[in-house]
Amino acid sequence: MFGFFRRNKPAEPPAAAAQPAATEPASPPPGQPAGEAPASPAQTGSALAANEAPTAAAPAADDAPARDAGAMSFLTRWFRGPESAPAPAAPSAESGTPGEAPTADGVAAEPPELASPAAAEPAAAQSAQAQAAPWAEPEPPQLQPAPPQIAQPTAPLISPEPPTVQPQAPDSLEALPAEAAPLSEERKPWLARLRVGLSKTRDNLTGLFVGVKIDEALFEELETALLVSDAGVATTQALLDALREKVRRERLAAPAQVRDALQLLLVELLTPLERPIDIDRAEPLVMMIAGVNGAGKTTSIGKLARHLRREGKTVLLAAGDTFRAAAREQLAEWGSRNQVEVIAQQGGDPAAVAFDAVSAGRSRRTGVVIVDTAGRLPTQTHLMQELGKIHRVIAKAMPGAPHETLLVLDGNTGQNMLAQVQAFDEVAPLTGLVVTKLDGTAKGGALVALAHLRRERPVPVYFIGIGEGIDDLQAFSAREFAAALVG
């Protein structure tokens, strides 16, 4: 899955390539004379003796491609097969020169590219008699057209290279919007569901870039659409100023180009919120979940436990919500679905439940301990103080814990999520966010406002949810979210 967790696993060693090992010892210098190998095995040494079986099998595979070099010797690569055996015998009886006839037959049977210059130089170095005769009688009509045949293919191969490299530089800026959301096959269904979930927000934005001129009226309508999507005044003004500058600097004239430029600005703004959880940095990794009433904490815990189980982690849940009716039963049901244990108490202090769960996780060497807490409003001072107490008790049960303090936010609250982040961060320092219920909301711009207003100290968004399904809680991707908003 994309970006859920960061693991510290050792990389697997690359698989050994068996076929290249077989081809390296079987490829001789291309200048080996074509007629000497079948004429006298002593000239090839031990290499010819080792390749007798592949040479015998070569005539049966007359038209076998030279790419199957893992099972063929250098003889089968440079000779046709049936023509290689009788060629050296007949000319040796007539002319008495062993090297003359094989060279002529080799040139006639093979393509000129293989037999002309590469085979002539080694032949001249080994035998003066074999060098003079081919150049005197049969070779000149066949060797003279060979150099132009080699020079002609090389010129077209070199000439098209500049046109293929040069267009990439000017097209790089235009290719950025297309590269802004690279998706694997398994992420495409998720992006489709995310587009549907953010359709109310996206329709307000993308409808502006159809059949319009790039003028001040377009920017005014875009400002209204961003404000309606709960992006906020400060964030909207910053986006519009950056967009105007980008349009002026790059001289964008088409509405689609302006839309793509806005998408790139959103990606740049949201990228600091994209970060995975390192689930291997502690054992157990203690996660504390907080949020207001009805934000979806318990459901998010159940989905998060499923993802952790897929990663091979053992999970222990702590039912710290002792205030809400049937909260323990709901968490126990999620534990039964994911086959994880749940520690709960009838009533009692939620801090005591968290302490027992962390202690049990340490003794059992559990992978992850997730502590649920009761929903509370930021204005409820006594409940916020209780949340701070749970945070301190967990630190006593295990030094350095909780390693992750996640705040679950309802995507429909819009700008109110900024106040929630500020209030909960003061009581229990937050390490990440989970934004739920983004399906059907018209306030998707609130995440953009969160990224802009907390750019000095960003709180990463680990997960976003768009439904009740077990796979509807997915890792947050800045590029996917921006593409779903204005793509």
Side-chain angles (χ1 to χ4, degrees):
M1 297 182 185
F2 168 83
F4 273 105
F5 310 109
R6 182 168 65 247
R7 305 302 301 271
N8 299 324
K9 295 182 179 180
E12 297 182 359
Q19 188 170 355
T23 57
E24 289 181 3
S27 53
Q32 180 71 30
E36 293 180 4
S40 63
Q43 296 178 359
T44 60
S46 59
L48 182 59
N51 295 324
E52 288 179 358
T55 308
D62 187 11
D63 296 330
R67 297 184 180 88
D68 298 334
M72 300 173 63
S73 66
F74 66 92
L75 295 177
T76 58
R77 294 176 58 188
W78 293 99
F79 287 85
R80 288 283 182 180
E83 299 175 2
S84 62
S92 62
E94 296 176 0
S95 60
T97 56
E100 178 179 357
T103 305
D105 292 343
V107 173
E110 291 290 326
E113 294 85 356
L114 296 178
S116 53
E121 294 180 0
Q126 292 183 1
S127 174
Q129 183 178 1
Q131 179 182 9
W135 287 96
E137 298 179 0
E139 295 291 342
Q142 296 179 356
L143 289 177
Q144 288 178 359
Q149 291 178 1
I150 296 176
Q152 288 176 359
T154 55
L157 289 176
I158 297 175
S159 57
E161 289 181 358
T164 56
V165 175
Q166 291 177 359
Q168 294 179 0
D171 291 343
S172 59
L173 293 178
E174 299 180 0
L176 283 177
E179 296 175 356
L183 292 174
S184 60
E185 292 298 328
E186 62 180 2
R187 294 294 291 181
K188 288 182 179 179
W190 159 252
L191 181 60
R193 298 200 305 270
L194 184 60
R195 287 177 180 271
V196 173
L198 294 174
S199 59
K200 293 183 179 179
T201 305
R202 188 182 70 255
D203 293 344
N204 294 333
L205 294 173
T206 57
L208 303 177
F209 300 100
V210 178
V212 295
K213 297 189 300 182
I214 309 304
D215 53 10
E216 192 60 29
L218 173 62
F219 288 101
E220 292 179 0
E221 294 181 1
L222 183 58
E223 179 181 6
T224 303
L226 288 173
L227 292 175
V228 170
S229 66
D230 256 13
V233 177
T235 306
T236 300
Q237 190 63 39
L239 278 175
L240 291 179
D241 291 344
L243 184 60
R244 285 190 179 96
E245 176 63 22
K246 194 176 184 65
V247 171
R248 182 192 63 81
R249 184 177 65 252
E250 300 181 7
R251 298 180 180 180
L252 304 180
Q257 293 178 334
V258 180
R259 181 197 61 199
D260 295 339
L262 177 60
Q263 180 178 341
L264 287 179
L265 291 175
L266 292 176
V267 171
E268 294 176 2
L269 189 60
L270 293 170
T271 297
L273 303 184
E274 180 183 328
R275 192 186 309 169
I277 300 179
D278 186 0
I279 60 176
D280 292 331
R281 71 176 186 268
E283 188 182 73
L285 181 76
V286 181
M287 305 174 66
M288 177 179 170
I289 312 298
V292 301
N293 308 76
K297 296 183 303 301
T298 307
T299 304
S300 299
I301 290 174
K303 298 176 181 179
L304 184 57
R306 172 64 63 88
H307 293 310
L308 289 168
R309 290 283 292 166
R310 289 174 178 174
E311 292 290 328
K313 286 288 185 178
T314 55
V315 182
L316 180 63
L317 304 181
D321 186 358
T322 60
F323 178 78
R324 182 170 59 92
R328 297 187 309 277
E329 289 78 3
Q330 183 182 3
L331 192 64
E333 177 62 26
W334 277 110
S336 176
R337 294 180 186 179
N338 298 320
Q339 298 179 354
V340 299
E341 186 178 355
V342 179
I343 293 181
Q345 293 181 4
Q346 183 70 29
D349 188 2
V353 178
F355 186 88
D356 294 343
V358 175
S359 301
R362 296 186 67 184
S363 61
R364 301 173 189 177
R365 301 185 65 85
T366 306
V368 181
V369 176
I370 304 178
V371 180
D372 189 15
T373 60
R376 63 204 74 219
L377 296 175
T379 56
Q380 298 172 330
T381 307
H382 64 290
L383 292 180
M384 296 297 289
Q385 292 176 353
E386 181 186 61
L387 185 65
K389 176 185 175 182
I390 298 174
H391 192 277
R392 294 189 299 270
V393 169
I394 291 176
K396 291 182 180 179
M398 181 178 181
H403 306 97
E404 296 287 347
T405 303
L406 306 185
L407 177 64
V408 180
L409 298 170
D410 187 345
N412 293 299
T413 57
Q415 285 280 309
N416 186 259
M417 68 172 56
L418 302 175
Q420 296 181 29
V421 172
Q422 181 67 26
F424 280 91
D425 192 33
E426 293 176 355
V427 176
L430 301 176
T431 60
L433 304 175
V434 179
V435 183
T436 63
K437 304 180 183 180
L438 284 175
D439 49 320
T441 181
K443 301 180 179 181
L447 269 183
V448 182
L450 180 66
H452 174 70
L453 297 179
R454 293 189 64 94
R455 59 189 180 276
E456 301 298 332
R457 185 185 175 272
V459 181
V461 178
Y462 287 142
F463 304 97
I464 56 176
I466 57 171
E468 295 294 331
I470 194 67
D471 291 324
D472 289 336
L473 185 72
Q474 294 283 333
F476 173 74
S477 169
R479 294 181 175 182
E480 292 178 359
F481 192 82
L485 279 180
V486 296

